[in-house]
Amino acid sequence: MPLTVLSIGFPLAQVSPRTAGGAEQVLFTLDRGLVCHGCRSLVLAPTGSRCHGLLIPAQVPAGVLDERAKHEARRSFKRTLEHTLARFSVDVVHMHGLDFDCYLPAEEDVPVVVSLHLPLSWYSPQALKPLRANTALVCVSRSQRASAPPDARISAVIPNGVDLENFPPGVRKGNYAVVIGRICPEKGTHLAIDAAERAGIDVVIAGTAFDYPEHQAYFETMIRPRLGAKVKFIGAVGGKAKAQLLAGARCLLVPSHAPETSSLVAMEAMASGTPVVAWKAGALAEIVTDRRTGFVVSSVEEMATAIRHVQIISQETCRREAQRRFDSEQMVTDYMNFYRKMMREPVPQELQAA
């Protein structure tokens, strides 16, 4: 029987292929996969979001994302979620937001799956020990699961994946490194600029500095003053523009010093045949195989040295590793099987084979 899945995004980020957040991209990919498998997909997300299933838009504050805006957005999500569950017959609710515990469904009959996309220390202690029955927490990497406190109620590990067909390898490499993602202090974008300058290569920065005051301050003080002929900022990219940017890059730089739980852009780069030079933080060392699909580094100088030597990494090897490890179809299948497990239904034979 086809499933009806209600996916719930983060109240302060639209779901779209251009959104910089990994959680939003995973939700978008799962929504598309569910529709392709003949399921009914409902997506609760801020107004202006895009999806393949039915969008349930929630009105959230615009402008500065301060504490007042966060509170109002959560209230709007909770209200919209209650109305949605009263209107539709839903088999599973799948939540993706950092603050999911602020708007968990009160009704315990419907199973709830929560994907923990961020470092576990960023969640409230109570969120990792939900009192609500019929609620399962899912980690997105082995390293994230290993970081869980002993009393955290983690039910499964389901790694993220990307749509490999959207990221074909390029024919010719340009003379630039690329940084793609959120622009904020913990992502270390300024470190990529430092390393590229030392390596003597241009760097292209694509992404978004969201309207959090600390993110805007970081962009204005640490990034904007350094823009010029050798350092270009092109804003958010998606679709073919993103694929071409990755395929044409000499390498992708991931200078994050946050305990990363995954890295979709690293997976996308490998699918494009582009090596990844990543900080040794969280799951990055799990995703990038040092000296095979890129380099894992611990300093700006090491990153600069790696940039100078990326030509030893085979584009074909990067692509093969992405095909073997990061296909989004496997992620979709794993989640569909997990939904049925939560519903205590047998898994169809075609999904078992996958």
Side-chain angles (χ1 to χ4, degrees):
M1 182 190 305
L3 299 171
T4 297
V5 179
L6 171 60
S7 299
I8 304 177
F10 180 52
L12 298 178
Q14 292 179 346
V15 172
S16 160
R18 293 175 61 89
T19 300
E24 288 71 41
Q25 292 184 42
V26 168
L27 193 163
F28 185 85
T29 301
L30 280 172
D31 162 64
R32 181 180 60 227
L34 288 167
V35 171
C36 289
H37 278 276
C39 296
R40 188 180 195 190
S41 176
L42 312 176
V43 176
L44 196 167
T47 300
S49 295
R50 293 173 52 195
C51 65
H52 290 77
L54 176 65
L55 177 65
I56 311 293
Q59 295 289 340
V60 298
V64 177
L65 301 179
D66 55 15
E67 290 304 316
R68 183 199 63 80
K70 295 176 187 178
H71 179 71
E72 288 300 319
R74 290 165 184 159
R75 285 184 58 189
S76 176
F77 258 50
K78 186 174 181 63
R79 193 164 51 242
T80 307
L81 173 57
E82 290 171 353
H83 291 164
T84 303
L85 290 176
R87 178 183 175 189
F88 296 97
S89 177
V90 173
D91 294 314
V92 176
V93 173
H94 190 166
M95 310 185 79
H96 294 265
L98 172 64
D99 52 1
F100 72 90
D101 54 317
C102 296
Y103 40 91
L104 265 172
E107 175 57 58
E108 295 187 350
D109 286 345
V110 61
V112 171
V113 176
V114 181
S115 288
L116 302 169
H117 293 284
L118 296 170
L120 298 185
S121 62
W122 295 14
Y123 294 86
S124 70
Q126 295 76 22
L128 300 181
K129 298 180 292 183
L131 296 177
R132 181 189 183 277
N134 220 3
T135 303
L137 306 184
V138 176
C139 284
V140 297
S141 63
R142 295 190 306 274
S143 61
Q144 183 194 35
R145 177 65 182 88
S147 72
D151 57 350
R153 296 173 185 165
I154 309 299
S155 298
V157 176
I158 300 179
N160 292 333
V162 297
D163 189 337
L164 301 178
E165 293 184 1
N166 288 341
F167 296 95
V171 176
R172 178 180 297 178
K173 292 292 184 185
N175 190 36
Y176 66 90
V178 65
V179 181
I180 300 179
R182 291 187 297 117
I183 301 172
C184 55
E186 65 268 16
K187 293 295 184 180
T189 311
H190 66 288
L191 301 176
I193 299 175
D194 292 342
E197 286 182 347
R198 295 191 189 191
I201 191 173
D202 295 355
V203 61
V204 177
I205 302 168
T208 303
F210 287 106
D211 287 330
Y212 299 103
E214 59 271 25
H215 292 195
Q216 289 294 316
Y218 174 75
F219 181 81
E220 293 299 330
T221 59
M222 301 295 289
I223 306 302
R224 188 184 295 280
R226 303 182 69 177
L227 300 180
K230 304 285 288 182
V231 182
K232 294 183 173 63
F233 173 64
I234 62 172
V237 294
K240 290 185 178 179
K242 183 180 184 181
Q244 291 170 354
L245 183 66
L246 279 170
R250 186 69 56 86
C251 60
L252 170 75
L253 304 181
V254 187
S256 175
H257 46 268
E260 296 291 343
T261 61
S262 184
S263 177
L264 298 181
V265 71
M267 298 174 188
E268 293 164 349
M270 288 183 220
S272 307
T274 297
V276 180
V277 182
W279 221 256
K280 189 176 183 180
L284 292 174
E286 185 178 325
I287 293 169
V288 181
T289 304
D290 193 46
R291 298 185 175 272
R292 180 172 173 80
T293 58
F295 296 90
V296 180
V297 301
S298 300
S299 69
V300 168
E301 191 54 53
E302 287 184 10
M303 180 168 276
T305 300
I307 294 170
R308 298 188 196 103
H309 291 89
V310 291
Q311 70 275 8
I312 73 171
I313 304 297
S314 163
Q315 295 184 43
E316 293 75 17
T317 298
C318 289
R319 177 68 183 182
R320 284 197 303 270
E321 282 293 285
Q323 291 172 323
R324 185 176 70 86
R325 301 175 57 201
F326 306 133
D327 191 341
S328 62
E329 182 57 31
Q330 184 62 56
M331 175 185 71
V332 173
T333 297
D334 289 346
Y335 272 114
M336 289 182 67
N337 289 343
F338 193 73
Y339 296 155
R340 294 188 183 280
K341 179 181 177 183
M342 289 290 292
M343 296 166 59
R344 296 174 175 81
E345 284 194 358
V347 175
Q349 188 171 359
E350 63 270 20
L351 291 182
Q352 290 177 355

